[in-house]
Amino acid sequence: MDNFPQRLREERKRLGLSQDGFGAAAGVSKNAQFNYESGTRLPDVGYLGRVQQMGADVVYLLMGVRAFDPSAAPHGEVAATLPERLQQERKRLQFTAVQLADKAGVDRVALTKFESGELVPDATALQKLHAAGVDVAHVLLSLRAGSHAGADADDGTRALLQHYQQAGEEARAALRTLAALLARSS
């Protein structure tokens, strides 16, 4: 976990939050968040679960390998148009339009217009949608799942991530704890 503080800071910034805001959302003080990002202290499993719910890639935090790769998620049949693919992504993520707009910080009316084809999302909107879990490469370019996902990972890492993604939440929590313990002993 030698780079954990750096990766935590990177994930916080990717989500567009201040230390104070990120810490508050994760249920800790600004001081505790500062200590985690400076490497003075390590967070507990409860904290990691809460930051995962906020959209942080916990596998990346612990292991330095991106598990949150939207292009690795299955999409099924590819829709023909950008608005249809955006709707398809929202449904894959199991969000209503209101939920996705709120999670991404995108105006609800604008999202509705993006999905109807009345408006085309700009770079800022796409960045916010990506941070909320939308596979922007799929929406824009119709790239299919696995077309380049994990190209830099070896077979063992891909298998580990696949098993992790298939596990239930209790098993994931146990794996995160085990990974943290193993990293400390390295």
Side-chain angles (χ1 to χ4, degrees), residues 91-106:
K91 290 174 183 174
R92 179 185 68 80
L93 294 168
Q94 300 179 340
F95 287 135
T96 65
V98 169
Q99 290 170 324
L100 180 57
D102 289 349
K103 182 169 175 91
V106 174

Side-chain angles (χ1 to χ4, degrees), residues 35-182:
N35 287 334
Y36 299 157
E37 291 187 21
S38 67
T40 308
R41 294 185 56 207
L42 289 174
D44 62 19
V45 173
Y47 171 89
L48 294 173
R50 290 186 297 274
V51 299
Q52 182 179 30
Q53 290 175 342
M54 293 165 42
D57 184 347
V58 174
V59 173
Y60 175 68
L61 291 176
L62 295 173
M63 299 170 54
V65 177
R66 285 272 177 208
F68 178 69
D69 181 359
S71 66
H75 297 289
E77 196 63 34
V78 177
T81 66
L82 185 145
E84 290 171 342
R85 288 190 299 274
L86 181 56
Q87 289 176 40
Q88 185 180 47
E89 268 299 280
R90 178 177 51 77
K91 290 174 183 174
R92 179 185 68 80
L93 294 168
Q94 300 179 340
F95 287 135
T96 65
V98 169
Q99 290 170 324
L100 180 57
D102 289 349
K103 182 169 175 91
V106 174
D107 182 75
R108 293 175 181 181
V109 174
L111 181 63
T112 302
K113 289 183 177 187
F114 297 157
E115 288 191 353
S116 71
E118 291 179 58
L119 286 177
V120 177
D122 64 7
T124 301
L126 290 170
Q127 188 175 31
K128 289 178 177 182
L129 290 166
H130 174 71
V134 171
D135 181 353
V136 174
H138 173 71
V139 171
L140 292 175
L141 305 171
S142 303
L143 292 177
R144 295 191 66 100
S147 60
H148 65 280
D152 297 331
D154 61 41
D155 290 340
T157 302
R158 282 193 295 272
L160 175 65
L161 291 175
Q162 181 179 12
H163 293 308
Y164 176 84
Q165 290 167 339
Q166 292 171 346
E169 188 49 43
E170 276 188 24
R172 285 182 180 196
L175 288 169
R176 290 189 299 265
T177 302
L178 178 60
L181 293 171
L182 290 171

